[in-house]
Amino acid sequence: MLERDATYQKAISEGYSVTDEEVWAYLDELKEIINGATNKDEAQALINQFDSEEEYWQHEFEVYKINLPIEKYLDYLNNAATIYSESEHETEHLNSCNEYLQNLQSDLAEKEDYEIME
């Protein structure tokens, strides 16, 4: 959770944001994916845990208002890393990028110096 928040703060500070329209468009795509999924019943069971389907999608809206800027920022970093390491084998590159992104998120969380309340 701390890494997510720290990465979100970094993404915003680097200029990565998302509009409400982008979030709703993403959620519309997600609805289509769910409706066509083989495990659609499992997804519906999750939705049914909310008072209404509208409440579920409003919750998801709030989640993706944070997740989408993070995804944009991490995609940028991953693409930048790809440019510099095209000579590496694909799996080595993927592992290298994933490790870099995990370390980055940990470092960002450390720098935020969160105080955990019990």
Side-chain angles (χ1 to χ4, degrees), residues 26-62:
Y26 182 85
L27 293 177
D28 286 340
E29 290 176 22
L30 190 56
K31 288 177 188 179
E32 288 180 28
I33 291 169
I34 289 172
N35 286 331
T38 57
N39 64 343
K40 178 168 62 172
D41 295 338
E42 292 174 27
Q44 190 59 49
L46 178 64
I47 292 170
N48 290 341
Q49 292 180 14
F50 287 79
D51 290 336
S52 68
E53 187 170 339
E54 181 180 322
E55 187 179 307
Y56 170 78
W57 289 111
Q58 187 60 48
H59 167 77
E60 290 297 288
F61 176 83
E62 296 302 323

Side-chain angles (χ1 to χ4, degrees), residues 64-76:
Y64 282 98
K65 265 176 51 176
I66 294 171
N67 284 0
L68 291 178
I70 292 171
E71 287 180 24
K72 287 180 179 183
Y73 176 60
L74 295 178
D75 283 347
Y76 163 77

